[in-house]
Amino acid sequence: MSSFTLGNGMEVVVIPDHRAPVVTHMVWYKIGSADEPPGKSGIAHFFEHLMFKATKNHPTGEFDRKVSEIGGDANAFTSDDYTAYFQTVSPEALPTMMAYESDRMRNLILTDDVIGPERDVILEERGSRVDNDPGALLSEEVDATLYQNHPYRIPVIGWKQEIEQLNRTDAVTFYDRYYAPNNAVLVVAGDITLDKVKELAEQTYGSIAKGPDLPPRIRPQEPEQNASRTVTLTDARVSVPSFSKRWVVPSYRTAQPGEAEALDLLSEILGGGTRSRLYQKLIVQDGSASSVGAFYQGTMYDSTAFGVYGAPQGEDDLSGIEKSVDAEIARIVQDGVTEDELARAKTRFRRGVIFARDNSSGMANLYGSALATGLTLEDIEAWPQRIEAVTADQVKAVAAKYLVPGKSVAGYLLPSPEAAQ
């Protein structure tokens, strides 16, 4: 792995891997939904769509057609902290991909004729992915309750009434401010050399003028949370009730040394697959749950969420599942974890890192997401060693410190009373 910075401030990371004639080319913009101006929710995701429209040099759809012609794969995605665009193609096609991608960094044509119809497409997408999905609706409400002040409380796709008001002026302002080489990271992974990427990057991205200097990403932070809260959604489309419980915890960027790694292993031990405590207790031993698990969203720019979830099996009730999950957390807080289950969790993590680096797109994702959320190349390279250094006492300590019952948000997804009868 090597890196360099172009004269206009664009960071470039090259990860040579010559096992297969494939290369992944990704551009990560350090702009996500949590960076949006107040009242403009959804505009970061809006650009995920607009970037596929016409530029001054190419008509709408030409870039996609070019990728299809050569048998490649292309797409984009938006998160709270970044927006990324990628193509996975043969090495011979990399110059073409870099030419098209660099072109749309500054040359989009943003007219009312483009903005209006694409805004309608996004509203339809929100309708199908969120408004028509009770689980997605509840998740949106839980996040809005969990984060009392931080913009992670705002959905990435945006609130409907604010999407409806997004206009050409908003789009041009956002594009001019954030879509610039000095706010982007280029990651190229696969069958390519550092010298070739440097040559191509200087010819394409290097010719783009630097954008305005951006201030540090200082967002409103969470106050101390001192109350448990519940969110209940009842919907006739729900057939099996379920619950989730979340806490605000530090991310890799905001955590004290060792805490994020311990939270990752706590998530794995508690609910990371069929060998986890929750799975073995509630599904294998008791047979009371149809699903159960835990998650930690460590790769976020600011403090993030740790969560558990579950759904009952057959006649078992939801409150019983929740009590059993709470009891497993309390056991870890009181008694800690064993050296054996800690060792097994570390083994699964090492395996996950190996799999993530097993192809060009996995490597590009790993490095791009970390760099776009404030971590460094040194952080990424040292991560396996930091995971290995976590002790059982550290896992117990983060469970006791952060999974506090009086500071959680519980979400309940229930069938409507009529449907339950």
Side-chain angles (χ1 to χ4, degrees), residues 53-221:
K53 299 301 179 184
T55 72
K56 295 175 183 175
N57 301 306
H58 304 288
T60 297
E62 184 180 301
F63 191 180
D64 269 352
R65 286 194 296 274
K66 185 65 68 175
V67 175
S68 297
E69 285 173 8
I70 59 177
D73 183 31
N75 213 329
F77 51 88
T78 310
S79 81
D80 301 85
D81 296 314
Y82 49 74
T83 307
Y85 303 84
F86 71 90
Q87 304 87 38
T88 298
V89 295
S90 63
E92 295 76 21
L94 183 60
T96 304
M97 299 300 105
M98 295 178 84
Y100 274 98
E101 192 68 78
S102 61
D103 172 60
R104 65 179 177 177
M105 179 180 281
R106 299 306 293 170
N107 291 323
L108 274 186
I109 300 173
L110 297 170
T111 64
D112 289 333
D113 290 341
V114 170
I115 299 296
E118 202 57 37
R119 184 177 55 217
D120 293 339
V121 170
I122 294 170
L123 287 166
E124 289 179 8
E125 181 183 344
R126 187 193 152 85
S128 64
R129 289 176 49 189
V130 181
D131 300 328
N132 290 333
D133 181 345
L137 280 173
L138 177 67
S139 181
E140 193 172 84
E141 296 294 341
V142 167
D143 279 344
T145 306
L146 177 65
Y147 297 105
Q148 299 174 322
N149 194 45
H150 193 279
Y152 286 163
R153 70 197 313 279
I154 299 170
V156 171
I157 199 169
W159 298 116
K160 181 180 178 183
Q161 79 279 8
E162 293 185 352
I163 298 172
E164 290 172 338
Q165 299 303 315
L166 295 177
N167 56 44
R168 180 181 174 278
T169 300
D170 298 329
V172 171
T173 301
F174 192 86
Y175 185 58
D176 288 346
R177 183 175 177 82
Y178 293 112
Y179 277 72
N182 48 309
N183 193 43
V185 180
L186 168 64
V187 181
V188 182
D191 191 14
I192 198 74
T193 64
L194 169 65
D195 289 344
K196 187 63 179 177
V197 172
K198 184 175 285 188
E199 174 192 340
L200 294 172
E202 288 174 347
Q203 291 173 1
T204 52
Y205 298 101
S207 65
I208 302 172
K210 177 183 176 183
D213 289 331
L214 295 170
R217 303 169 88 179
I218 300 174
R219 300 151 167 176
Q221 296 298 298

Side-chain angles (χ1 to χ4, degrees), residues 346-358:
K346 289 178 178 178
T347 298
R348 291 195 293 272
F349 259 72
R350 283 196 300 270
R351 191 180 304 146
V353 172
I354 292 170
F355 288 155
R357 299 186 181 203
D358 197 39

Side-chain angles (χ1 to χ4, degrees), residues 142 228-232 243-246 322 408-412:
V142 167
S228 60
R229 288 142 286 159
T230 63
V231 180
T232 302
F243 92 100
S244 66
K245 189 168 287 182
R246 304 182 192 188
E322 182 179 2
S408 65
V409 173
Y412 301 99

Side-chain angles (χ1 to χ4, degrees), residues 117-415:
E118 202 57 37
R119 184 177 55 217
D120 293 339
V121 170
I122 294 170
L123 287 166
E124 289 179 8
E125 181 183 344
R126 187 193 152 85
S128 64
R129 289 176 49 189
V130 181
D131 300 328
N132 290 333
D133 181 345
L137 280 173
L138 177 67
S139 181
E140 193 172 84
E141 296 294 341
V142 167
D143 279 344
T145 306
L146 177 65
Y147 297 105
Q148 299 174 322
N149 194 45
H150 193 279
Y152 286 163
R153 70 197 313 279
I154 299 170
V156 171
I157 199 169
W159 298 116
K160 181 180 178 183
Q161 79 279 8
E162 293 185 352
I163 298 172
E164 290 172 338
Q165 299 303 315
L166 295 177
N167 56 44
R168 180 181 174 278
T169 300
D170 298 329
V172 171
T173 301
F174 192 86
Y175 185 58
D176 288 346
R177 183 175 177 82
Y178 293 112
Y179 277 72
N182 48 309
N183 193 43
V185 180
L186 168 64
V187 181
V188 182
D191 191 14
I192 198 74
T193 64
L194 169 65
D195 289 344
K196 187 63 179 177
V197 172
K198 184 175 285 188
E199 174 192 340
L200 294 172
E202 288 174 347
Q203 291 173 1
T204 52
Y205 298 101
S207 65
I208 302 172
K210 177 183 176 183
D213 289 331
L214 295 170
R217 303 169 88 179
I218 300 174
R219 300 151 167 176
Q221 296 298 298
E222 280 298 292
E224 183 177 343
Q225 299 201 350
N226 292 310
S228 60
R229 288 142 286 159
T230 63
V231 180
T232 302
L233 177 67
T234 302
D235 194 294
R237 294 168 292 184
V238 175
S239 56
V240 178
S242 61
F243 92 100
S244 66
K245 189 168 287 182
R246 304 182 192 188
W247 296 261
V248 173
V249 300
S251 66
Y252 268 88
R253 195 188 73 86
T254 64
Q256 296 295 315
E259 282 195 335
E261 294 82 358
L263 285 164
D264 251 336
L265 291 170
L266 172 62
S267 170
E268 184 67 31
I269 291 169
L270 189 59
T274 58
R275 301 305 303 168
S276 68
R277 285 196 176 200
L278 293 179
Y279 192 96
Q280 287 294 310
K281 172 61 177 172
L282 277 74
I283 294 182
V284 176
Q285 294 180 30
D286 297 347
S288 57
S290 60
S291 66
V292 70
F295 62 87
Y296 168 53
Q297 299 170 321
T299 309
M300 300 284 277
Y301 191 81
D302 289 315
S303 291
T304 179
F306 187 103
V308 293
Y309 59 88
Q313 173 78 32
E315 299 299 320
D316 286 288
D317 67 277
L318 191 60
S319 63
I321 301 298
E322 182 179 2
K323 288 177 182 175
S324 295
V325 171
D326 288 343
E328 289 303 314
I329 294 173
R331 280 183 58 211
I332 292 179
V333 170
Q334 180 170 334
D335 303 326
V337 300
T338 68
E339 292 294 339
D340 180 58
E341 61 186 342
L342 179 61
R344 283 189 276 115
K346 289 178 178 178
T347 298
R348 291 195 293 272
F349 259 72
R350 283 196 300 270
R351 191 180 304 146
V353 172
I354 292 170
F355 288 155
R357 299 186 181 203
D358 197 39
N359 58 67
S360 62
S361 60
M363 287 191 291
N365 266 299
L366 180 68
Y367 279 81
S369 60
L371 293 171
T373 52
L375 300 181
T376 65
L377 294 173
E378 290 74 23
D379 292 330
I380 303 167
E381 293 297 304
W383 183 73
Q385 290 75 36
R386 298 206 312 271
I387 284 287
E388 198 61 38
V390 172
T391 66
D393 285 344
Q394 285 178 298
V395 175
K396 178 182 178 182
V398 293
K401 182 177 181 180
Y402 294 112
L403 306 193
V404 178
K407 298 184 178 183
S408 65
V409 173
Y412 301 99
L413 185 61
L414 306 176

